[in-house]
Amino acid sequence: MTADLDLRKLRYFVVTAETLHFGRAAELLHIAQPVLTRQIRALESELGAALFDRSSRGTELSEAGAALLPEARALLRSARALQRHARRGTRIVVGFMPGLAPAPLIRALRERFPDLEVDVIRTSWDDQVEVVHDGRAELSLVRLPIDRAGVTVVPVLSEPRVAVLSRDHHLAGRDVVTLDDLAGLPLLQDPMAVPELLGTRTAAEARPQPNVEEKLERVVIDSGFVILPRSTALAYPRPDVVLRPVDGLAPSEVALIRAESASSEVLDTAMKIAGSCLLTAGCG
C-alpha cells in the first residue's frame, strides 16, 4: 500500500461484509450505492486484493475479504476505544460482574485523584472483557477464566462457589453436597461455567440461561441447580432457594483487567491497589 489505511473505507467494508448486499449496506451507511461501490473498489486497489466475489448468485466474501474482516473489526474497535479514552480525560468507567462490588476501589481512587469522575457498568460473561476492548470501560472486574489476549490481568480475590437448589430439593437438607451428588441432575446454566461437571450426564443436559434471575427461576420450577460464586448468589436472596457448599468445586477467581494498550497514572494505581481494596473493602 502506498497510502495510509482509511478507517472510513474499512467501516464501509465491514458493513458490506456483514450484509453481503451493497444496496442494504449503503442504506445502513446513509450513502448512495455507487459511492459505496467506488469506496470498496478503492480499498481493494489499496490492498491489492479483491474483497468480494460478485456473481449472479449474489455477493460473497473472497478469501482475502474473509481474512480481513476480523482484523478490520478489531481495528475499528480500537479506534472507537481510542476516541472514547481521549474524550474522557479525567473520567473512567469501571465494569463489574454481578456480585462484585467496585465501590472500595472507586473510593480509593477518588482519595488519590480528587478530580476523578467514575462511572460503573454492569457486565456479563459475554461482555466482561469486551467492554475494555471496545472502550466502554477502562477497567473491569471479571470472573476468570477469560481470554487474556490484549488485556493486563491482576488477580484480586478468590471466593467459594456454591450450589443453588430449590428449598424443597432432596439435597437441600445437606450441609455440604458433592460433585457426585450433582451428577445426573439438571444443570441450568452453560456447562462451560462448571468444567468440573463436563463429560457427565449433567453437562449434557445443561441449558444456558441469559441472567442470574432467570437461572434462579429455573432452579425453583425445574428442580435443577446452578453453580454460582457465593457473592453472586448472596446478591440475589430468595426464600425459596438454598445455597450449599460443594466438596471438590474449585473457587471463583476474580481479577481486575485493563487494555494492554491503555496506560495512565489512574489505571496504573488501580491495578496496584485493587487486591488490597477488594479484599479488605478499603485501602489504607
Side-chain angles (χ1 to χ4, degrees), residues 207-229:
R207 289 178 292 174
Q209 300 296 327
N211 56 52
V212 176
E213 292 94 334
E214 291 191 20
K215 290 175 184 175
L216 296 179
E217 286 297 328
R218 302 305 302 183
V219 163
V220 173
I221 65 176
D222 280 355
S223 298
F225 73 99
V226 296
I227 300 294
L228 295 176

Side-chain angles (χ1 to χ4, degrees), residues 47-177:
L47 295 175
L51 301 176
F52 296 96
D53 293 328
R54 306 167 180 86
S55 69
S56 59
R57 293 175 300 176
T59 300
E60 297 179 351
L61 278 172
S62 68
E63 184 177 350
L68 176 63
L69 182 57
E71 301 292 339
R73 284 171 172 157
L75 186 57
L76 291 173
R77 185 174 61 194
S78 296
R80 288 193 296 268
L82 181 62
Q83 291 171 338
R84 288 189 178 105
H85 294 324
R87 286 196 301 265
R88 280 175 180 161
T90 58
R91 176 177 179 267
I92 66 168
V93 176
V94 180
F96 66 98
M97 284 284 282
L100 300 180
L105 175 62
I106 292 171
R107 285 195 295 267
L109 287 174
R110 283 176 170 167
E111 288 176 3
R112 290 160 172 77
F113 305 96
D115 295 330
L116 181 67
E117 296 181 22
V118 185
D119 203 351
V120 294
I121 178 174
R122 179 183 168 183
T123 61
S124 68
W125 281 108
D126 293 332
D127 67 358
Q128 60 174 341
V129 177
E130 187 69 17
V131 294
V132 168
H133 284 313
D134 65 20
R136 281 178 286 164
E138 282 72 29
L139 300 165
S140 184
L141 281 170
V142 303
R143 294 195 184 275
L144 303 178
I146 61 169
D147 181 353
R148 296 177 179 238
V151 296
T152 300
V153 181
V154 174
V156 294
L157 63 88
S158 176
E159 65 167 322
R161 290 187 293 163
V162 297
V164 183
L165 302 158
S166 171
R167 184 167 291 278
D168 59 6
H169 195 280
H170 71 274
L171 295 177
R174 301 191 183 182
D175 293 331
V176 178
V177 297

